[in-house]
Amino acid sequence: MGRPTVTDIAREAGVSLATVDRVLNARPGVRAKTIAAVQEAVARLGYVRDMAAANLARGRSTRVAILLPDTESQFIQTLEDALAQAAALASSARMQVDLLRYPAADLHRLTAMLADLAAGGISGVALMAPETPLVRDALRALHAAGIPVVAMVSALPNCGAAHYVGIDSHAAGRTAGVLMGRFLGGRTPRVMVIAQSMLLRDSIERRRGFDAVMLADFPGVTVGQTLETHGVTQTLHQVMRESLRSDGPVGGIYLLGSGHRALAQVLSELGLLGQVVVIGHELTPHTISALRAGWLDAVIAQNVGHVARSTLRVLQAKADHQPINESQERLRLEIILRENLPQAL
Amino acid sequence: MGRPTVTDIAREAGVSLATVDRVLNARPGVRAKTIAAVQEAVARLGYVRDMAAANLARGRSTRVAILLPDTESQFIQTLEDALAQAAALASSARMQVDLLRYPAADLHRLTAMLADLAAGGISGVALMAPETPLVRDALRALHAAGIPVVAMVSALPNCGAAHYVGIDSHAAGRTAGVLMGRFLGGRTPRVMVIAQSMLLRDSIERRRGFDAVMLADFPGVTVGQTLETHGVTQTLHQVMRESLRSDGPVGGIYLLGSGHRALAQVLSELGLLGQVVVIGHELTPHTISALRAGWLDAVIAQNVGHVARSTLRVLQAKADHQPINESQERLRLEIILRENLPQAL
DNA sequence: TCATTTTTGAGGTACGCACATCAAAACGGC
DNA sequence: GCCGTTTTGATGTGCGTACCTCAAAAATGA
C-alpha cells in the first residue's frame, strides 16, 4: 500500500469524498464533529496532501514577481542570474517568475510598480530594497491585499509580514571582525573600514557587528571610521591617502560593500597590494579573482543560489498557504577563503 | 497561455498524441524523421515535461534505500536525522525512503543487504561506506542491474557510476591548514594531528591537503605525524603526553575526525584548554558546544541538511532518468566559527 | 502489385486531487 | 410532526501525463 489518499480518509472517517474535500480545503458547511472525525482519520493514517496532484487539479500556475534595483553591481547581477536559473527550474513546477528591475534612485517608481503588480493579480512579490517609509507603505498595502512579500538580502522589518531571505548582517560583521583580528597577526593593529555608502541597512549592521567584536576580542586594534567612496575610485584613492597620512599605516582593510576592483587598483598604486589583510563581502567574479590572486583574504557571503531557491520556495509555500520549513530556509553565513572557493560559479 | 502540453506538441508537430507520447518516452516504432519533427516542436515551444503529472500518471512512488554504518558517531547521527527529515518532506513528492544501518565492522553484511535491496526492486541506493574491494563489487553489481548509487560524505570512485554527494576532502584539509597557519599567530609553531583511525578515505585526504598547505604557505610550522586514538580517551591522553614530552609544546591541534569530547577532557587535564588553536571537522552537538565554549576555534564542515536533500534529489533524478543540475548539487565547504554558528541545529 | 511489416492515429483508463451541482438526509425550531 | 435550514452524499469533469489496445495508414520487400 502506498500513501493514503482522500479516498482512504473518507473510508476511515466514515464520510464521503465530498466531505473530506470540504474539510481539507476549509470549505463551509461541515459540522465541527465531522471536521474532527476527518482530521482524526488524517492523523491516524498519516495523510499528507499530494501537493503536486493538488496543484495540477487546481490548474494554478503560481505567478510571482521579483524586483531588484538597477544598480550596476556585480552582486546584484549574480543574484539576478541565480534567480533566473532557479526560475527556469521552478517553471517545471508550475510557477512563473517575472524578474524586474527598478531604478534605484527612484523609489516612487518602485512603489508604482508594486501597485501595478497588486492590481495585476500576482500571487507573491520578492524584492531587495532599502527600508524607507515609501517602500514600507507600499509593502503594507500589498500585505493588506493578501499578497505575500519576501525581502531578499536586506531585511525589511515593519513592512507587513515580509519574510526575510538572507543572512544576519550583524553576524556577518562579527565574523568579519573575528577573521580580521586573527588574520592581522603581527601586522600594524590598525584597520580601515571602507564603504560605498552607509545608506543600506545591511552595511550599517555589518559595521556594528564588526565594531562589537573588535572592541570585545581585539582591544589592541584601532578601527577607523567608515570611509565613504560613493563608488568613485578617485574618491577612494583620496580618502585612503588622507587617512594614511593623518593616522599612519594600516594592517587591515574591511570593505563593507562592493568596490573590490577599485580597491585593488588603489592598493596597487599605494604599494599595499598583498601587504594588508583585506576582508570583504559577497562572492562575485571580482571577489573570486581577488581571492585567487591572494590580495583578498576572506569574503563573508551568502549563497545566492540558496537565496534564489529559498525565495521561490517561500513564495510557493505562501501561495499554497502551506507552512514554511524554517530549518530548510535558514541561510548559512559563509566564509570563503581561497582554499574553499567553489570550483565554478 | 500557460506552459505548452503534449497536446500542443502534437498539434505543432502535426502528429497524434500517441506519437508524441512514444517519442517523449522513447518507445519504439517511430520513424527517425517523425522523432525529429516532434523534438523540433518540443524545442520550438519550449516544452518541459510536467514531472508532477508524469509521476502521478505513472503511479510510481520512487523507493530508495539509504545505508549508514552503525557507528556511534554524533556526525552519523546528525546525518541520519537530516536524512529522516528530508525523507519526511520527500514523501509528499511520492518518494519513499528506507533508512538502514549496517554493522560497520561487517562489510559482508553490507553487501548482503545491498543484494537484498537489488532483488527487492528498489529504484536507488545511497550509502556512506569505506571503499573496499567487497563494497566495490557489490556496488558494481547494483550499477549493472541499473540501480543508481549515490555515495555520501565519503567518495567511492571506481564503483560503477556512483554519484558523490559531499565535499572535497582534500580541499577541506587545505582549508583547515590555512586557518591553522593564520590562527597560530605568535604561538608555538608546532601542530599536533589527531585521528581516531586512518582507515577512512576522507581522513587520509584531509591530512594530505593539510600537509600540502602547511608545507607551502607556513614553512615555519612543524606538523607532527598523525596520532591515532581508536576512539579511546585513555589512548588519546597517553599519546598526547608522549608527544608533548618528546617533541615539546604545541600551539595547535588538528582533529581529523570525531572525538571532540575526549579531546576537551584531555586538554583540560593537561591545562591546555583554550591555550592552543584547535581545528576540527563536522558540525555536531559536541563541536557546536565546543565552539561556543571557545576552546574549539574552527570547524570545517559540510551542511548535512544539504547532503541529505541533495542525495534524495539525485536519487529522484536518476530514477526519473533526468539530468542532474550539477550546480545545485555542488556542496559548499563550510567554515564555522563561533560567530557564524547556525542559531539552531 | 500484393503481402508484410512498420508506423501512426484514435480513443480509453488511470493517477490524486479540486471544484461544482443536485439531491438526500439530518437537524433545528415551533 | 411540519417546515426550513444545515449538513452530507453521489456523481461528474478536468488538470497533464502514462500506458494500453485496436484499427488504419504508410512504407517496405519481393
Side-chain angles (χ1 to χ4, degrees), chain B residues 267-295:
Chain B
L267 280 179
S268 163
E269 285 166 18
L270 297 172
L272 287 176
L273 204 70
Q275 305 301 306
V276 294
V277 174
V278 181
I279 293 186
H281 282 279
E282 303 307 350
L283 215 52
T284 66
H286 284 162
T287 55
I288 289 175
S289 71
L291 282 168
R292 287 231 177 82
W295 66 265

Side-chain angles (χ1 to χ4, degrees), chain B residues 245-256:
Chain B
R245 191 158 44 77
S246 63
D247 302 322
V250 295
I253 293 178
Y254 177 32
L255 196 53
L256 275 177

Side-chain angles (χ1 to χ4, degrees), chain A residues 20-69:
Chain A
V20 172
D21 177 69
R22 287 178 186 115
V23 174
L24 289 182
N25 293 292
R27 276 183 253 279
V30 187
R31 268 185 307 175
K33 218 176 76 182
T34 315
I35 294 183
V38 171
Q39 285 173 339
E40 212 264 334
V42 165
R44 190 164 51 236
L45 296 187
Y47 169 82
V48 248
R49 192 200 300 250
D50 183 333
M51 283 311 292
N55 283 335
L56 176 60
R58 284 195 183 97
R60 170 213 297 173
S61 59
T62 323
R63 183 168 174 181
V64 300
I66 301 188
L67 293 150
L68 294 176

Side-chain angles (χ1 to χ4, degrees), chain B residues 5-6 25 27 47 49-50 53 57:
Chain B
T5 72
V6 274
N25 295 291
R27 276 184 253 279
Y47 169 82
R49 193 198 299 250
D50 184 332

Side-chain angles (χ1 to χ4, degrees), chain A residues 118-136:
Chain A
I122 210 99
S123 53
V125 170
L127 80 173
M128 175 175 170
E131 190 199 8
T132 72
L134 208 60
V135 175
R136 193 156 39 213

Side-chain angles (χ1 to χ4, degrees), chain B residues 15-228:
Chain B
V15 298
S16 72
L17 267 179
T19 301
V20 172
D21 177 68
R22 287 179 187 114
V23 173
L24 289 182
N25 295 291
R27 276 184 253 279
V30 186
R31 268 185 306 172
K33 217 176 75 180
T34 314
I35 294 182
V38 172
Q39 285 172 340
E40 212 266 334
V42 165
R44 191 163 51 236
L45 296 187
Y47 169 82
V48 247
R49 193 198 299 250
D50 184 332
M51 284 310 292
N55 284 333
L56 174 60
R58 284 198 183 94
R60 169 215 296 174
S61 57
T62 322
R63 184 169 172 179
V64 300
I66 301 188
L67 293 150
L68 294 176
D70 65 353
T71 321
E72 288 206 16
S73 136
Q74 266 199 334
F75 172 64
I76 304 283
Q77 188 56 52
T78 311
L79 179 59
E80 185 176 32
D81 293 347
L83 284 164
Q85 206 185 329
L89 248 102
S91 80
S92 79
R94 44 193 349 91
M95 173 179 234
Q96 194 192 330
V97 180
D98 294 353
L99 274 177
L100 308 169
R101 292 273 198 149
Y102 66 85
D106 183 5
L107 293 181
H108 281 278
R109 184 82 195 82
L110 170 60
T111 59
M113 289 171 81
L114 288 173
D116 285 354
L117 289 171
I122 210 99
S123 54
V125 170
L127 79 172
M128 176 177 168
E131 189 198 9
T132 72
L134 208 61
V135 174
R136 194 156 37 212
D137 289 346
L139 295 184
R140 282 198 182 135
L142 281 181
H143 182 238
I147 299 175
V149 174
V150 170
M152 297 181 297
V153 180
S154 190
L156 292 168
N158 316 317
C159 294
H163 186 103
Y164 172 57
V165 175
I167 57 174
D168 176 350
S169 296
H170 191 263
R174 285 178 55 83
T175 307
V178 177
L179 290 178
M180 179 61 81
R182 306 200 77 151
F183 281 12
L184 274 177
R187 276 176 257 258
T188 317
R190 207 171 83 73
V191 175
M192 210 180 255
V193 180
I194 300 173
Q196 296 217 342
S197 85
M198 288 302 275
L199 289 175
L200 294 171
R201 193 186 173 89
D202 48 351
S203 288
I204 301 168
E205 288 182 359
R206 284 175 194 163
R207 170 81 219 221
R208 268 211 286 266
F210 187 80
D211 286 352
V213 163
M214 294 311 275
L215 203 66
D217 297 350
F218 305 96
V221 178
T222 316
V223 182
Q225 66 179 115
T226 311
L227 306 178
E228 294 189 53

Side-chain angles (χ1 to χ4, degrees), chain A residues 167-243:
Chain A
I167 58 174
D168 176 349
S169 296
H170 191 263
R174 286 179 54 84
T175 307
V178 177
L179 290 179
M180 179 60 80
R182 306 200 77 152
F183 282 11
L184 274 178
R187 290 186 184 74
T188 317
R190 204 172 84 73
V191 175
M192 208 180 259
V193 180
I194 300 172
Q196 296 219 342
S197 85
M198 289 302 274
L199 289 175
L200 295 170
R201 194 186 173 89
D202 47 351
S203 288
I204 301 168
E205 288 182 0
R206 284 175 193 164
R207 170 82 220 221
R208 267 212 286 265
F210 188 79
D211 287 351
V213 163
M214 294 310 276
L215 203 67
D217 298 350
F218 305 96
V221 178
T222 316
V223 182
Q225 66 179 116
T226 311
L227 307 177
E228 295 189 52
T229 69
H230 307 292
V232 185
T233 309
Q234 203 50 249
T235 314
L236 174 63
H237 199 134
Q238 204 175 322
V239 294
M240 279 187 65
R241 285 195 86 97
E242 197 164 323
S243 168

